[in-house]
Amino acid sequence: MARNLLAGVITVDDLPAATAAFVRRQAAARGYEGDPLDGVTHGLRTDEDTMERLRSGPRVEHHTTELLLSPDLLVIAYRQGHDDRYDQVDPAARVSFHRLDQLEVAPAATGLRPRGTGGVPQGVLALTSTALGTTRRTTRHVPTGNAPEVATFRAALEAAVQLACR
């Protein structure tokens, strides 16, 4: 299976209108007071294309993950497909909200690690928290790639987490 990751900086204005509305509805449903998109200081979008060769021909899947950082919250929005239809949200779209004072960011991987050796592979952001509306603490691995924008976002996230935990 071939995989291609492309990461770039985004702002709240870069979100499709339907996605922004979906994020706001989900935040309200999970008890977050206010607009979760207000005060976003950093944003990162990762577009991931995977291609699998089948007998009937190649199958290509597209996934988009957006990470939006505000002074007290990390929003992770995930959807499949391309943004061809800005007026509709992907039925499989998901969003999670993580309070920074409850978030742990795993150290960045250095070098390649063989499979099965543990640790976080390069190009992945590992986040542990109890997301809003849930009761279990879980770890989420978000594919980000290794672009310079990813390092900038990671540094801002780590600084915001440290500040929130003081």
Side-chain angles (χ1 to χ4, degrees):
M1 181 181 311
R3 179 176 166 188
N4 183 36
L5 284 172
L6 178 64
V9 174
I10 62 165
T11 67
V12 171
D13 295 335
D14 295 324
L15 288 176
T19 300
F22 175 71
V23 167
R24 289 179 174 113
R25 282 192 311 272
Q26 290 296 309
R30 293 182 185 149
Y32 185 78
E33 293 182 22
D35 184 348
L37 300 178
D38 275 350
V40 168
T41 58
H42 294 79
L44 181 73
R45 173 182 288 152
T46 303
D47 290 300
E48 177 182 21
D49 291 313
T50 56
M51 184 178 76
E52 185 176 10
R53 295 194 190 280
L54 304 172
R55 279 187 173 197
S56 58
R59 178 178 70 184
V60 177
E61 290 184 3
H62 182 84
H63 304 275
T64 299
T65 305
E66 283 128 348
L67 300 149
L68 302 161
L69 177 63
S70 70
D72 67 334
L73 196 66
L74 174 66
V75 177
I76 304 173
Y78 170 85
R79 61 188 183 280
Q80 296 176 335
H82 292 278
D83 290 335
D84 309 28
R85 311 249 352 225
Y86 281 91
D87 59 337
Q88 295 180 355
V89 175
D90 165 29
R94 298 186 311 263
V95 64
S96 58
F97 306 91
H98 307 270
R99 292 200 185 275
L100 297 181
D101 62 350
Q102 298 177 7
L103 185 68
E104 292 176 38
V105 181
T110 55
L112 298 175
R113 291 193 166 106
R115 287 185 171 218
T117 59
V120 180
Q122 257 189 337
V124 173
L125 186 61
L127 308 166
T128 303
S129 79
T130 304
L132 286 178
T134 65
T135 56
R136 287 187 16 202
R137 190 163 178 79
T138 58
T139 299
R140 180 165 185 176
H141 294 87
V142 182
T144 57
N146 297 315
E149 297 87 350
V150 174
T152 302
F153 183 85
R154 174 186 272 282
L157 177 60
E158 289 172 348
V161 166
Q162 285 181 350
L163 187 62
C165 290
R166 289 185 185 158

